[in-house]
């Protein structure tokens, strides 16, 4: 088994040294407990030291919600209790499951079905735990029967079970945590979209190369070569565009990547996997920041990995963190290159940054499998930020990161997913390709609805705000052909047009062909409720900024700020703002999230009203006719 990565630094303490509590208790702010397990030795002493460093800053935030959350929830499995059973979500506590009646069994199956719906096909069962969260435990015989009952419940739903961890208690009793997974009937696997970002030279592409190719790096960038798409990226070692990669897992949690066998393809990885993690490798250099922000806004990742090289936190990384926080995307932090530099200084910086007023997060250093499962089970709380320390050369810490990706939840319930699928489809175009013998191919994200092959659709808006009709010819997902794409999935589409197709661009959308001209229409003017996150001075009418709305990225001018008068708006102020696109109309609808970016200035908000060109032109025509008649 891989030794702890802290074994790389400094000598181990003398044998026989011990601590009264587990390393996890000290590191994550939990008090010692009689049933918390045995003492730690060796590299655990260094874990305890760094954990104390991370926790030292929390005493300044005893009144903050994040600190109280950590203390009250007590989500460390080693404390002897868990938080009370949540009424919503995909976590279920069961004290025991021994010989239930037929009626009770059907009720338990219905309950499991609901938990699976809440977790988008994944549920976590804590066996031997009361509803209040107390770890009572079961003896071996009762635990065996309870697990058999749980397996029977899962089989009733065509689901699979796998034991994540087992904790031994006093009197030969134990508690077991089980992952129940059911692939939706209309899907091959459960998919999670993860964005990977960070500053230049942090090791993002190298990390993805190691994960997806199954081979460690040689220390000179060998692993990242398969991630690059252009010659200048290979020459400079810097990613300039969005690169998509995947990592699969089977029902037992074993990794399925390109090293699975010699002839493995992306299509086979998707087919063999019950859980599929699709990565977006984003650019880290400031020159390509607009591409990174557009990908985060357009592809709506369910989770983000912030990669930081051991040493210091770059300004670009701070910028990425601010954008992720503004877009309300859950994230984890990966500290790389620990074979070259100790992680202690960067952990100090991260503790100060994440616990600051702007973030109010709880840094959670991951050192063992229990930490992985604890952090994932409470990721929805959103104050917890797991921190991994890894080396792409030695492989230290990568096993914990892989385990975390295996249990990472998609973050959207089946009920919400079904609600989106019942709406008319809307596909946001983010990338355009020209493929020989195929023609134009559009890549992007289906925000809502269900899109199938041979569907009659409208694509636009054009320069006059109108849409043109085409037929979707083929659909590809994860580098493999498919017949249908559903809400929340990314795909590539080819078209069959009777007339020559106009030139497509990023930011266009695809709507059902039956939508009326009033709905399928672009606009120049729209109104949004905006909060300014940071601006050096004040923002007034006439201010120009880059606007990100989904896959839309365009310069817009502020035509009016409601209620601001001559004073404008500044940092931490909100107002209703009227915008006008500069170059061409875009398809915008109320409720869409908007991100403003101009230099170091940032703002975020939601669209409240749009003024379609068709409506504007109709009003203008009516006014002209009235004037002429008068």
């Amino acid at each position: 088994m891989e030794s702890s990565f802290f074994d790389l630094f400094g000598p181990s303490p003398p044998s026989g040294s011990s601590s009264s509590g587990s390393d996890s208790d000290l590191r994550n702010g939990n008090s010692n407990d009689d049933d918390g397990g045995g003492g730690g030795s060796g590299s655990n002493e260094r874990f305890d030291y760094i954990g104390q460093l991370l926790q030292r800053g929390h005493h300044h935030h005893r009144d903050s919600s994040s600190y109280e959350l950590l203390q009250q929830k007590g989500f460390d499995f080693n404390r002897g209790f868990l938080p009370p059973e949540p009424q919503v979500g995909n976590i279920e506590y069961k004290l025991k499951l021994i010989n239930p009646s037929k009626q009770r069994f059907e009720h338990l199956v219905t309950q499991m079905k609901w938990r699976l719906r809440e977790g988008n096909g994944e549920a976590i069962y804590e066996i031997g735990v009361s509803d209040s969260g107390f770890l009572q435990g079961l003896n071996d015989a009762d635990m065996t029967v309870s697990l058999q009952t749980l397996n029977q419940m899962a089989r009733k739903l065509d689901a699979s079970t796998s034991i994540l961890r087992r904790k031994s208690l006093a009197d030969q009793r134990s508690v077991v945590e089980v992952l129940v997974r059911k692939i939706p009937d209309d899907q091959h696997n459960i998919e999670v979209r993860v964005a990977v970002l960070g500053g230049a030279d942090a090791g993002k592409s190298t990390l993805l190369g190691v994960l997806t190719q199954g081979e460690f790096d040689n220390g000179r960038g060998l692993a990242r070569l398969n991630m690059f798409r252009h010659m200048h990226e290979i020459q400079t070692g810097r990613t300039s565009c969005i690169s998509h990669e995947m990592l699969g897992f089977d029902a037992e949690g074993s990794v399925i990547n390109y090293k699975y066998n010699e002839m493995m393809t992306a299509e086979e990885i998707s087919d063999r996997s019950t859980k599929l993690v699709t990565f977006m490798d984003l650019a880290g250099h400031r020159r390509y920041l607009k591409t990174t922000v557009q990908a985060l806004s357009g592809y709506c990742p369910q989770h983000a990995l912030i990669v930081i090289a051991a040493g210091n936190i770059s300004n670009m990384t701070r910028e990425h963190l601010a954008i992720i926080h503004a877009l309300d995307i859950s994230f984890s932090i990966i500290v790389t290159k620990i074979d070259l530099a100790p992680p202690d200084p960067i952990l100090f910086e991260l503790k100060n940054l994440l616990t600051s007023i702007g973030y109010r997060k709880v840094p959670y250093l991951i050192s063992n499998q229990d930490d992985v499962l604890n952090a994932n089970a409470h990721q929805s709380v959103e104050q917890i930020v797991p921190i991994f320390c890894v080396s792409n050369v030695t492989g230290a810490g990568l096993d914990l990161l892989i385990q975390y990706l295996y249990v990472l939840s998609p973050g959207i319930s089946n009920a919400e997913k079904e609600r989106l699928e019942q709406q008319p489809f809307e596909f946001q175009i983010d990338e355009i390709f020209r493929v020989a013998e195929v023609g134009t191919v559009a890549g992007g994200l289906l925000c809502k609805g269900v899109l199938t092959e041979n569907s009659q659709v409208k694509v636009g808006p054009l320069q006059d705000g109108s849409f043109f009709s085409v037929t979707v010819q083929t659909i590809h997902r994860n580098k493999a052909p498919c017949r249908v794409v559903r809400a929340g999935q990314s795909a590539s589409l080819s078209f069959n047009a009777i007339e020559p197709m106009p030139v497509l661009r990023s930011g266009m959308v695809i709507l059902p062909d039956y939508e009326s001209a009033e709905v399928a229409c672009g606009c120049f003017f729209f109104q949004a409720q905006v909060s300014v996150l940071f601006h050096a001075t004040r923002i007034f009418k006439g201010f120009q900024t880059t606007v990100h709305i989904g896959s839309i990225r365009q310069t817009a001018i502020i035509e009016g700020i409601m209620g601001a008068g001559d004073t404008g708006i500044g940092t931490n102020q909100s107002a209703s703002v009227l915008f006008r696109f500069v170059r061409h109309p875009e398809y915008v609808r109320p409720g869409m999230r908007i991100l403003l970016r101009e230099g170091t200035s940032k703002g975020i908000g939601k669209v409240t009203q749009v003024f379609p060109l068709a409506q504007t032109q109709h009003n203008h025509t009516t006014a002209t006719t009235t004037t002429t008649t008068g």
Side-chain angles (χ1 to χ4, degrees):
M1 181 177 178
E2 184 82 30
S3 61
S4 166
F5 64 83
F6 285 111
D7 289 339
L8 297 171
F9 316 115
S12 300
S15 60
S17 64
S18 64
S19 94
S20 59
S22 68
D23 56 59
S24 177
D25 288 336
L26 286 175
R27 185 179 59 262
N28 295 314
N30 296 325
S31 59
N32 293 337
D33 209 278
D34 290 340
D35 61 9
S41 61
S43 61
N44 287 343
E45 182 179 85
R46 190 170 180 88
F47 269 132
D48 296 342
Y49 167 66
I50 291 183
Q52 292 167 12
L53 297 183
L54 282 173
Q55 287 301 318
R56 203 168 287 166
H58 283 314
H59 299 295
H60 301 293
H61 297 279
R62 285 190 179 271
D63 57 341
S64 70
S65 60
S66 60
Y67 179 80
E68 294 298 326
L69 173 76
L70 183 63
Q71 293 300 103
Q72 294 174 8
K73 290 290 185 182
F75 53 78
D76 195 325
F77 211 55
N78 289 321
R79 292 194 64 179
F81 63 89
L82 296 173
E85 182 185 58
Q87 297 301 312
V88 296
N90 67 334
I91 300 177
E92 178 71 26
Y93 296 171
K94 288 299 176 192
L95 186 57
K96 56 184 177 180
L97 295 169
I98 300 176
N99 300 326
S101 64
K102 183 177 180 180
Q103 183 178 1
R104 173 62 176 165
F105 183 82
E106 292 299 329
H107 172 75
L108 291 171
V109 171
T110 302
Q111 189 180 57
M112 175 180 284
K113 185 177 182 180
W114 185 81
R115 290 295 187 184
L116 288 169
R117 283 169 56 87
E118 285 290 292
N120 196 21
E122 294 182 340
I124 294 176
Y125 272 69
E126 308 284 358
I127 308 298
V129 181
S130 65
D131 289 345
S132 63
F134 178 70
L135 272 61
Q136 181 169 327
L138 298 175
N139 58 41
D140 290 345
D142 288 348
M143 180 61 72
T144 300
V145 175
S146 295
L147 292 177
Q148 289 175 350
T149 304
L150 187 67
N151 286 332
Q152 292 171 3
M153 293 160 51
R155 286 199 298 270
K156 187 84 172 178
L157 298 173
D158 293 327
S160 62
T161 61
S162 58
I163 295 178
L164 295 178
R165 55 179 166 172
R166 182 189 296 264
K167 175 179 172 58
S168 298
L169 304 176
D171 301 326
Q172 296 183 341
R173 304 170 77 87
S174 64
V175 173
V176 173
E177 186 172 73
V178 182
L179 173 66
V180 183
R181 175 171 290 160
K182 173 178 169 56
I183 300 174
D185 297 334
D186 55 1
Q187 295 178 218
H188 291 299
N189 44 49
I190 296 172
E191 182 180 353
V192 183
R193 290 192 309 279
V194 177
V196 182
L197 63 164
D201 304 322
K204 302 180 297 298
S205 299
T206 301
L207 175 64
L208 288 187
V210 171
L211 291 176
T212 60
Q213 304 297 321
E215 296 285 350
F216 293 157
D217 189 45
N218 63 352
R220 296 184 296 277
L222 177 65
R224 69 187 179 188
L225 293 180
N226 290 319
M227 303 298 104
F228 292 150
R229 298 171 58 184
H230 303 289
M231 180 57 69
H232 70 266
E233 292 179 330
I234 297 176
Q235 293 170 345
T236 63
R238 290 176 176 171
T239 304
S240 64
C241 62
I242 306 169
S243 177
H244 298 270
E245 296 298 331
M246 65 179 68
L247 178 67
F249 298 92
D250 61 18
E252 286 73 36
S254 301
V255 172
I256 300 177
N257 55 20
Y258 288 105
K259 196 182 179 182
Y260 191 79
N261 62 48
E262 295 181 357
M263 304 300 292
M264 183 62 70
T265 64
E267 184 176 359
E268 290 178 350
I269 292 177
S270 179
D271 290 341
R272 290 174 179 263
S273 302
T274 59
K275 175 76 171 283
L276 190 67
V277 181
T278 55
F279 297 104
M280 290 187 297
D281 186 16
L282 305 180
H285 197 275
R286 178 168 291 277
R287 180 188 306 171
Y288 309 113
L289 179 60
K290 60 183 181 181
T291 302
T292 298
V293 176
Q294 184 179 15
L296 292 173
S297 176
Y299 277 101
C300 302
Q302 293 148 339
H303 193 75
L305 300 180
I306 309 291
V307 181
I308 305 173
N312 68 313
I313 305 176
S314 66
N315 292 332
M316 198 69 256
T317 299
R318 295 176 187 271
E319 185 94 0
H320 288 162
L321 274 170
I323 294 170
I324 286 291
H325 187 56
L327 292 174
D328 197 24
I329 300 173
S330 65
F331 64 94
S332 307
I333 293 178
I334 316 296
V335 179
T336 61
K337 303 184 181 181
I338 62 170
D339 54 309
L340 298 179
D344 305 51
I346 203 76
L347 294 176
F348 268 121
E349 280 194 78
L350 287 172
K351 182 266 296 181
N352 293 330
L353 177 62
L354 295 174
T355 57
S356 63
I357 294 177
Y359 292 95
R360 290 191 181 276
K361 301 286 187 179
V362 179
Y364 193 83
L365 185 63
I366 304 296
S367 62
N368 54 45
Q369 188 180 30
D370 272 357
D371 290 342
V372 170
L373 301 174
N374 290 334
N376 176 74
H378 295 266
Q379 190 79 43
S380 59
V381 178
E382 295 179 3
Q383 275 90 356
I384 298 164
V385 178
I387 301 176
F388 298 83
C389 297
V390 305
S391 169
N392 294 318
V393 175
T394 66
L398 290 175
D399 55 338
L400 297 178
L401 177 58
I402 290 173
Q403 173 72 6
Y404 177 72
L405 294 172
Y406 169 62
V407 297
L408 183 63
S409 172
I412 180 174
S413 68
N414 267 14
E416 174 65 14
K417 186 171 179 290
E418 289 175 2
R419 186 188 68 81
L420 291 174
E421 289 180 0
Q422 291 170 1
Q423 300 180 23
F425 63 77
E426 178 185 317
F427 186 91
Q428 295 183 349
I429 297 177
D430 189 73
E431 296 178 283
I432 310 296
F433 311 94
R434 292 288 301 178
V435 180
E437 300 181 2
V438 176
T440 301
V441 174
L445 178 74
L446 187 67
C447 300
K448 56 183 183 177
V450 177
L451 182 61
T452 60
E453 284 184 337
N454 301 318
S455 295
Q456 301 293 320
V457 301
K458 287 183 176 180
V459 184
L462 304 178
Q463 193 63 38
D464 61 356
S466 65
F467 282 59
F468 63 94
S469 297
V470 295
T471 301
V472 175
Q473 187 171 11
T474 59
I475 301 176
H476 275 65
R477 289 197 67 246
N478 299 323
K479 305 179 182 179
C482 66
R483 295 184 178 275
V484 61
V485 57
R486 299 180 180 275
Q489 296 179 342
S490 57
S492 298
L493 315 176
S494 67
F495 305 98
N496 182 14
I498 299 176
E499 300 178 0
M501 286 184 60
V503 177
L504 300 184
R505 57 175 173 79
S506 176
M508 283 185 167
V509 297
I510 298 175
L511 303 176
D513 192 53
Y514 58 77
E515 292 286 16
S516 63
E518 288 75 18
V519 175
C521 183
C523 70
F524 275 106
F525 292 88
F526 68 95
Q527 194 168 324
Q529 186 68 27
V530 173
S531 297
V532 179
L533 301 178
F534 176 78
H535 188 65
T537 55
R538 309 286 291 181
I539 294 177
F540 299 94
K541 176 182 177 180
F543 179 76
Q544 291 192 16
T545 180
T546 301
V547 171
H548 295 269
I549 308 176
S551 60
I552 297 170
R553 184 187 72 205
Q554 189 181 159
T555 301
I557 299 175
I558 293 180
E559 296 290 350
I561 304 176
M562 315 309 169
D566 297 330
T567 60
I569 54 175
T571 301
N572 296 328
Q573 290 184 326
S574 301
S576 182
V577 180
L578 179 65
F579 293 90
R580 174 175 61 85
F581 288 119
V582 171
R583 289 178 292 172
H584 43 70
E586 303 282 10
Y587 177 79
V588 181
R589 52 180 169 79
M592 297 181 77
R593 185 188 294 269
I594 175 175
L595 178 67
L596 314 178
R597 184 183 60 82
E598 187 60 40
T600 58
S601 302
K602 297 183 192 67
I604 195 167
K606 281 192 175 181
V607 176
T608 57
Q609 188 177 3
V610 297
F611 305 93
L613 272 177
Q615 178 183 333
T616 306
Q617 292 168 355
H618 173 73
N619 293 341
H620 176 73
T621 303
T622 303
T624 303
T625 303
T626 303
T627 303
T628 304
T629 304

